[in-house]
Amino acid sequence: MKILIVDDEPKILDVVEAYLVAKDYLVFRANSGEAALRKFALSQPDLLILDLMLPDKSGLDICKEIRGSGNETPIIMLTAKSKEQDIIIHGLQLGADDYIVKPFSPKELVMRVETVLRRSGNIRNKDVYKLSFAEGSLIIYPNSRQVFLHDKEVCLTKKEFDLLYTLAESPTQFFPRETLIESLYGYDSFNSDRAIDSHIKNLRQKIEKDSKNLNLF
């Protein structure tokens, strides 16, 4: 599995690469925005680790360009600006999957990588795996990120699928709103309760006969 790391600090590139290689990932590196876009196109990575502050082009611009092309490769942003909430929120709105604030623990970054890859379906176990509910009426295929209701595929947004999969993995568990926010947006997220409420409402309308029914399954 291929990961592209983009940062203009050689020490960060060295450390992150060492930890990822130890986990058997194939790592590519870039230290500028232009180099990042070239290597992204050439290597077609399964995940992009992207620094927000680069010498020639911002990480936000790179994220916007990648998402604007229709590419859904998972992106984890690195930022030293822990107090600039607007920048982080803007990155998430542009399509970043997670972020981590510098200085960070390499072990935590590897954990985030594994989590984001698992959520995106780019997991190493390619065996067919599904979750089935209501006697097969609702079937979820995590690897391909497909959902079928009464044998018809349901079109879900990325966040709607992530939410459904989180709930489906533990259907009898109670999830506080804060836990769902963390699951969808990562740690220390600034996303509001209303965003989660909106995702839940839209998801219920797509998979339930009675969208007011609190039991998804």
Side-chain angles (χ1 to χ4, degrees):
M1 192 160 289
K2 299 175 291 185
I3 297 179
L4 173 61
I5 313 168
V6 184
D7 200 295
D8 60 342
E9 298 182 47
K11 289 184 178 179
I12 290 181
L13 290 173
D14 290 343
V15 171
V16 173
E17 180 179 13
Y19 272 79
L20 290 173
V21 169
K23 292 289 186 178
D24 297 324
Y25 290 103
L26 178 60
V27 176
F28 298 87
R29 299 167 50 147
N31 58 10
S32 69
E34 292 300 330
L37 290 172
R38 288 196 304 271
K39 290 193 177 183
F40 185 87
L42 290 172
S43 64
Q44 298 184 3
D46 298 289
L47 182 138
L48 173 63
I49 299 175
L50 178 62
D51 187 23
L52 274 175
M53 306 301 293
L54 296 168
D56 59 338
K57 186 187 291 275
S58 77
L60 292 177
D61 289 337
I62 294 171
C63 180
K64 183 177 181 180
E65 187 168 339
I66 290 173
R67 290 293 184 254
S69 69
N71 191 296
E72 294 296 326
T73 298
I75 298 174
I76 298 177
M77 286 188 162
L78 305 179
T79 175
K81 296 182 175 295
S82 60
K83 296 182 180 180
E84 296 195 15
Q85 299 182 10
D86 290 343
I87 293 180
I88 295 171
I89 291 175
H90 188 37
L92 294 172
Q93 291 173 338
L94 287 175
D97 296 86
D98 201 355
Y99 70 91
I100 190 167
V101 177
K102 298 178 181 179
F104 56 84
S105 162
K107 290 183 179 180
E108 181 184 356
L109 179 58
V110 171
M111 180 191 70
R112 299 283 189 94
V113 167
E114 297 282 1
T115 299
V116 170
L117 285 173
R118 185 167 60 249
R119 289 174 184 165
S120 69
N122 294 335
I123 56 179
R124 298 177 186 187
N125 180 6
K126 296 300 182 180
D127 295 336
V128 176
Y129 169 60
K130 67 180 180 180
L131 298 171
S132 180
F133 299 92
E135 298 181 346
S137 296
L138 177 66
I139 299 177
I140 304 167
Y141 293 93
N143 290 9
S144 61
R145 297 176 65 81
Q146 291 177 292
V147 176
F148 290 86
L149 181 64
H150 303 302
D151 297 324
K152 293 184 178 180
E153 186 169 2
V154 181
C155 182
L156 300 181
T157 67
K158 182 180 183 302
K159 294 301 182 185
E160 288 168 0
F161 181 89
D162 291 343
L163 174 61
L164 178 62
Y165 183 46
T166 297
L167 297 172
E169 280 191 303
S170 304
T172 61
Q173 179 179 339
F174 170 76
F175 287 90
R177 184 174 276 104
E178 294 77 11
T179 301
L180 294 176
I181 292 175
E182 179 179 305
S183 175
L184 264 66
Y185 296 102
Y187 299 90
D188 302 320
S189 173
F190 300 109
N191 290 274
S192 68
D193 292 356
R194 287 179 296 178
I196 291 295
D197 292 342
S198 178
H199 290 315
I200 291 176
K201 178 181 177 181
N202 293 337
L203 182 59
R204 286 175 173 163
Q205 290 176 341
K206 292 180 179 181
I207 68 172
E208 290 185 350
K209 290 183 178 180
D210 180 5
S211 61
K212 295 182 180 179
N213 182 2
L214 296 179
N215 184 0
L216 285 175
F217 310 111

